[in-house]
Amino acid sequence: MTTPKKNASNASSKEKMATLGLISDFDFALHLPLRYEDETRLYKVNEVYPGQVVQLEGVVENIHVNFGHRKQLTATFKDDTGKIALRWIHYYPSQKAQLEKAGLIRIRGEIRGSSMWGYEIIHPKVSKAGQSLPQTLTPVYPSTDGLTQITLRKAITEALTRVKVHDSLPESIQQKYHLPSLSESIHTLHHPRVDMDTQALMDKTHPAWERVKFDELLAQQIALHLAREARVQLQAPQMVLQDTHLFDQVLAAFGLSLTKAQQRVLTEIQVDLQRSYPMHRLLQGDVGSGKTIVAALTAALVIQAGYQVAIMAPTEILAEQHFIKMQKWFAQTDIEVVWLSGSLKVKEKRETIQKIVSGQARLVVGTQALIQKGVVFQRLGLMIVDEQHRFGVIQRLSLSKKGETQTHDSIPHQLSMSATPIPRTLAMSYLADLDVSVIDELPPGRQAIMTKLMVDERRDDLLKHLRIECQQGKQAYWVCPLVEESEALQLQTAVDTYQYLQTALPDLRIGLVHGRLSPVEKAQVMQDFVQHHIDILVATTVIEVGVDIPNASIMVIEHAERFGLAQLHQLRGRVGRGQAASICILLYQNPLSQQAKLRLKALHETNDGFEIAKRDLEQRGPGEFLGLRQSGEQMLRFADIEVDTDVLENAREAAAIMLKEYPQAAEAHMKRWIKGREDYLRS
Ligand code: ADP
Ligand code: MG
């Protein structure tokens, strides 16, 4: 009996489609091809290039089974313009004989290799030559295990015959941006016609694609506008910032004068704090541009105005660096700086939380522990979040809700700091509801840093140089490899390296600092380094932030390939602060992954934090860059903000127009595109 079986399989493909979010006809209509396969034409060997998926017709010769370290079947494919190598790593024994008597065949596959060493196709699909070709591009849809393209295509085609796609854009908007109708665009993308621009469809530059991208970005822009409007309706502590007593004390303790950029961003922040609604401001600046002092001065103003301030960082080490600085800068004041992290002992933690609840603690520095249940502020006025993009979305959400758990009913202001400059396109799309202040000037006296890549085998050379440089009075950092997920292992490597360097360079003074040392011990080692009792300081990523020792002009980063781009840039920023020319040596071990190669290349080529961030974004994509990947958050499906900058600009402009002139259409448009994702956009 076939009936029950058929039903069962129908049910399961229906379920599978539902996991892709495909339920209503409109969902299917919007399930657009990931890409197309062009089976409409035959190529010639002399016109192909790597990465292309092509069909060719010709004959095969030199068919061999090779017994290398891995058995494989190879052959040469030939047409009247040239030759291409074919290779099968998995094959049936009968395949060789079949190829030998095949005659004229058609093959299909992706071109690999280079023009220098020759092209090849691995596992080409082989069929008879001379069969008729399809007339249009074949769509390939995003799918899931066990759901075939054929099933999906059929379901989509059926949905398209039923669905009536009503256009959520007013005529005037469509005309202004020269957009085709949504209905027409969707049909085109699912079933391209013969006479259409194939290349533009494949590259996603066809007007039909632009329409879909525009709609998607428009929805995002509308959501961000609305989030901003909603924020303006909220109540925040409206501050009176006349009294600069504490501010002046902190500035005096800092002992340096502010740069113009620092002064400017301080003014921008102060304007926000005097408003009735919560500030959401992102403070951006390259590594070492002096964000932390801006945060401290802002905290001083807010505390003076009678509120509590919390400073939160994503890791214990980062948070601790802030804690140490705040303690130093507030030492001459009567403000006690309080520390809260998950690693505190139960009793200490309880005491600290008590101080927060009672309001006795005016300035609290810590990790995520600050936003956990049970931590209720008496009068939180400002939350400063460092490296916010490293927090997951969930944390960001509970962060902006923090105000709800305090004893007075206004929402605290929020200042985020990021040493990873956010590229403009990203700021414009995902973070458009934030205001941005940029410190675009480094404190005086910074030197350009030369960055060298060095393969690990040349370590002996490196040691020779280090000895000479240090004997001439220079100091160096030696940063140990990051060991994913294991602080204990990372510690071990640092200790090993410390011993190894002591043996290899017996006439130099080697020091060691890592996260397991107590703040006092850490401070002692750093002090020894500052006073030049240490020549080479072996460190874990503890020194990623905040460490400032002008005489240190050499930075060695071991296993640099294991670090992220932003992190390497941060580490490198620890040198180049004194008079001497500085150098950063990235020691790496082969083989390098393609991604690692790109990262190291970027570091070698530029010192500019914005450029680094741009490449980081290109390499990792917005989801990972913003730390959304782990949460499985789906962001943009069709638009690529790096490529579709023009569409983004238009969508941004159109969002403002629509909200003003067609508020209902704007809301309907947003809802259609952003199913259940508003929550993120409100963070
Ligand atoms: P960021 O947090 O942006 O990486 P920091 O606030 O940690 O930067 O400052 C980096 C270093 O630059 C610190 O050692 C700080 O003392 C120094 N610095 C900051 N602002 C100034 C300034 N206006 N003049 C001189 N040095 C400064
Ligand atoms: Mg910093």
Side-chain angles (χ1 to χ4, degrees):
M1 297 298 287
T2 55
T3 321
K5 203 175 151 203
K6 200 172 163 196
N7 278 346
S9 90
N10 267 349
S12 80
S13 62
K14 207 169 172 178
E15 274 163 28
K16 279 178 183 143
M17 292 196 252
T19 64
L20 292 174
L22 303 178
I23 296 157
S24 73
D25 284 344
F26 188 69
D27 297 334
F28 281 93
L30 269 195
H31 196 66
L32 298 172
L34 204 56
R35 58 190 171 83
Y36 298 95
E37 283 187 351
D38 185 1
E39 300 177 330
T40 62
R41 60 168 289 204
L42 293 172
Y43 285 76
K44 289 289 184 188
V45 168
N46 68 356
E47 58 174 343
V48 301
Y49 53 85
Q52 249 183 340
V53 176
V54 296
Q55 297 185 111
L56 303 157
E57 281 190 0
V59 294
V60 278
E61 51 186 36
N62 301 329
I63 304 156
H64 289 297
V65 171
N66 293 2
F67 299 91
H69 73 288
R70 196 167 182 185
K71 214 172 125 185
Q72 44 182 267
L73 177 64
T74 59
T76 306
F77 174 88
K78 200 172 92 176
D79 71 7
D80 52 2
T81 69
K83 292 177 181 179
I84 276 187
L86 304 181
R87 190 146 63 98
W88 287 265
I89 298 156
H90 310 286
Y91 59 95
Y92 296 107
S94 59
Q95 237 166 311
K96 182 168 182 270
Q98 275 169 13
L99 282 174
E100 274 162 353
K101 56 179 186 228
L104 194 63
I105 57 167
R106 181 181 295 173
I107 59 167
R108 177 177 172 74
E110 185 184 334
I111 303 295
R112 304 192 184 207
S114 66
S115 50
M116 175 118 89
W117 302 106
Y119 292 143
E120 72 169 345
I121 298 178
I122 297 174
H123 293 153
K125 265 197 243 164
V126 180
S127 57
K128 272 198 301 216
Q131 299 176 80
S132 68
L133 295 163
Q135 295 280 294
T136 65
L137 292 178
T138 312
V140 179
Y141 292 104
S143 187
T144 177
D145 257 1
L147 185 61
T148 66
Q149 289 293 323
I150 296 166
T151 311
L152 257 177
R153 266 177 219 151
K154 191 160 161 275
I156 289 168
T157 303
E158 281 169 15
L160 279 176
T161 59
R162 286 188 299 261
V163 76
K164 185 157 168 6
V165 179
H166 112 91
D167 214 298
S168 53
L169 292 192
E171 280 284 327
S172 65
I173 299 276
Q174 284 186 53
Q175 273 163 18
K176 184 169 162 73
Y177 299 104
H178 311 289
L179 299 166
S181 83
L182 182 63
S183 174
E184 181 193 328
S185 303
I186 287 176
H187 280 95
T188 296
L189 295 175
H190 287 297
H191 301 299
R193 289 198 315 271
V194 186
D195 58 337
M196 281 176 171
D197 183 346
T198 321
Q199 202 55 46
L201 278 165
M202 309 243 289
D203 299 344
K204 303 202 174 173
T205 53
H206 191 279
W209 276 120
E210 298 222 319
R211 169 63 208 257
V212 170
K213 292 173 176 182
F214 181 90
D215 277 25
E216 181 177 46
L217 288 169
L218 177 67
Q220 187 198 45
Q221 291 296 312
I222 291 171
L224 290 166
H225 267 279
L226 292 176
R228 177 186 281 268
E229 277 174 25
R231 174 155 62 88
V232 172
Q233 302 305 315
L234 299 173
Q235 185 60 47
Q238 192 166 3
M239 298 181 179
V240 180
L241 303 174
Q242 244 91 40
D243 191 345
T244 61
H245 207 77
L246 204 51
F247 181 100
D248 296 337
Q249 278 181 310
V250 172
L251 188 56
F254 179 54
L256 292 160
S257 50
L258 298 178
T259 61
K260 284 231 167 54
Q262 284 171 319
Q263 288 169 15
R264 190 190 63 240
V265 302
L266 263 169
T267 309
E268 289 166 357
I269 293 167
Q270 286 180 56
V271 169
D272 280 2
L273 292 174
Q274 296 174 61
R275 293 206 163 106
S276 65
Y277 58 87
M279 162 172 86
H280 265 198
R281 187 169 281 280
L282 179 68
L283 177 56
Q284 278 185 221
D286 206 345
V287 187
S289 61
K291 295 177 292 295
T292 317
I293 186 68
V294 170
L297 291 168
T298 306
L301 285 171
V302 172
I303 293 168
Q304 185 88 68
Y307 295 91
Q308 289 170 296
V309 175
I311 302 180
M312 181 165 100
T315 67
E316 179 120 5
I317 287 163
L318 255 167
E320 203 170 280
Q321 298 279 348
H322 286 312
F323 180 61
I324 293 166
K325 282 192 181 176
M326 295 303 148
Q327 270 191 321
K328 193 167 99 193
W329 290 333
F330 281 85
Q332 300 305 314
T333 71
D334 53 7
I335 303 299
E336 184 193 355
V337 185
V338 172
W339 168 252
L340 183 68
S341 89
S343 65
L344 280 184
K345 295 196 184 74
V346 177
K347 184 161 161 281
E348 293 171 312
K349 202 186 226 166
R350 198 182 315 125
E351 280 170 15
T352 306
I353 291 177
Q354 188 44 44
K355 283 185 188 172
I356 294 172
V357 175
S358 72
Q360 184 192 337
R362 310 286 292 279
L363 180 53
V364 189
V365 185
T367 57
Q368 283 98 314
L370 281 176
I371 54 167
Q372 251 127 50
K373 266 215 183 77
V375 184
V376 180
F377 285 82
Q378 191 243 352
R379 213 168 135 76
L380 184 61
L382 171 68
M383 184 76 154
I384 299 173
V385 194
D386 197 14
E387 303 292 336
Q388 195 199 42
H389 67 277
R390 282 214 230 156
F391 288 98
V393 184
I394 309 289
Q395 278 156 344
R396 286 173 57 179
L397 281 172
S398 58
L399 195 67
S400 48
K401 289 188 182 130
K402 193 67 218 163
E404 294 163 16
T405 58
Q406 36 179 4
T407 43
H408 71 112
D409 57 350
S410 63
I411 313 262
H413 295 283
Q414 192 177 310
L415 179 67
S416 315
M417 300 193 283
S418 174
T420 314
I422 314 278
R424 201 177 93 84
T425 48
L426 195 58
M428 241 171 76
S429 50
Y430 298 106
L431 307 171
D433 67 323
L434 299 180
D435 296 303
V436 179
S437 290
V438 184
I439 305 184
D440 50 7
E441 172 189 9
L442 289 178
R446 294 286 159 81
Q447 302 265 352
I449 304 158
M450 192 202 315
T451 301
K452 279 198 170 162
L453 307 183
M454 194 181 271
V455 65
D456 196 62
E457 281 96 67
R458 291 185 49 208
R459 186 182 276 263
D460 287 345
D461 281 351
L462 173 62
L463 291 182
K464 248 183 250 157
H465 280 287
L466 264 182
R467 169 180 280 132
I468 295 168
E469 298 279 340
C470 288
Q471 279 169 346
Q472 290 172 355
K474 292 192 177 169
Q475 287 177 279
Y477 293 103
W478 186 296
V479 180
C480 288
L482 196 66
V483 180
E484 195 97 2
E485 312 300 344
S486 168
E487 207 193 323
L489 261 179
Q490 181 165 346
L491 184 63
Q492 189 53 50
T493 351
V495 173
D496 291 348
T497 309
Y498 171 65
Q499 287 165 352
Y500 155 79
L501 285 177
Q502 276 183 322
T503 316
L505 300 167
D507 43 344
L508 295 185
R509 294 160 302 174
I510 318 288
L512 172 65
V513 66
H514 55 72
R516 286 289 173 83
L517 298 181
S518 72
V520 177
E521 292 168 318
K522 232 181 274 175
Q524 184 57 52
V525 179
M526 296 316 290
Q527 201 50 36
D528 287 347
F529 195 45
V530 170
Q531 294 180 344
H532 208 158
H533 301 319
I534 292 174
D535 298 304
I536 301 178
L537 181 63
V538 177
T540 52
T541 42
V542 175
I543 61 149
E544 184 183 338
V545 283
V547 177
D548 194 25
I549 296 166
N551 195 51
S553 58
I554 303 168
M555 165 73 61
V556 179
I557 304 177
E558 221 178 314
H559 275 296
E561 75 278 3
R562 295 191 194 163
F563 291 84
L565 197 43
Q567 200 173 22
L568 286 170
H569 180 60
Q570 286 257 3
L571 283 169
R572 178 171 62 178
R574 297 304 119 208
V575 293
R577 292 170 177 235
Q579 300 305 311
S582 290
I583 184 165
C584 173
I585 295 144
L586 304 175
L587 267 183
Y588 66 89
Q589 211 153 63
N590 281 320
L592 286 178
S593 72
Q594 191 54 31
Q595 288 293 317
K597 256 183 219 161
L598 284 173
R599 285 200 296 272
L600 297 183
K601 186 163 170 282
L603 259 300
H604 176 64
E605 285 173 1
T606 178
N607 266 316
D608 176 353
F610 267 96
E611 180 59 30
I612 302 257
K614 234 185 92 213
R615 298 208 195 172
D616 202 14
L617 175 62
E618 278 163 19
Q619 286 171 31
R620 293 193 298 157
E624 215 157 280
F625 189 92
L626 290 173
L628 303 181
R629 184 61 53 85
Q630 313 89 305
S631 65
E633 196 104 19
Q634 192 181 23
M635 305 191 54
L636 294 169
R637 280 189 288 167
F638 307 116
D640 174 345
I641 54 166
E642 287 303 285
V643 179
D644 301 313
T645 323
D646 294 348
V647 187
L648 177 58
E649 298 272 6
N650 287 343
R652 188 156 83 132
E653 185 185 82
I657 299 174
M658 268 183 75
L659 280 164
K660 190 150 165 276
E661 292 173 22
Y662 314 94
Q664 275 168 358
E667 192 133 344
H669 180 85
M670 179 193 80
K671 291 229 169 89
R672 167 185 260 185
W673 280 88
I674 305 183
K675 266 194 286 177
R677 262 175 271 161
E678 297 94 331
D679 217 23
Y680 158 63
L681 292 163
R682 291 202 194 291
S683 78

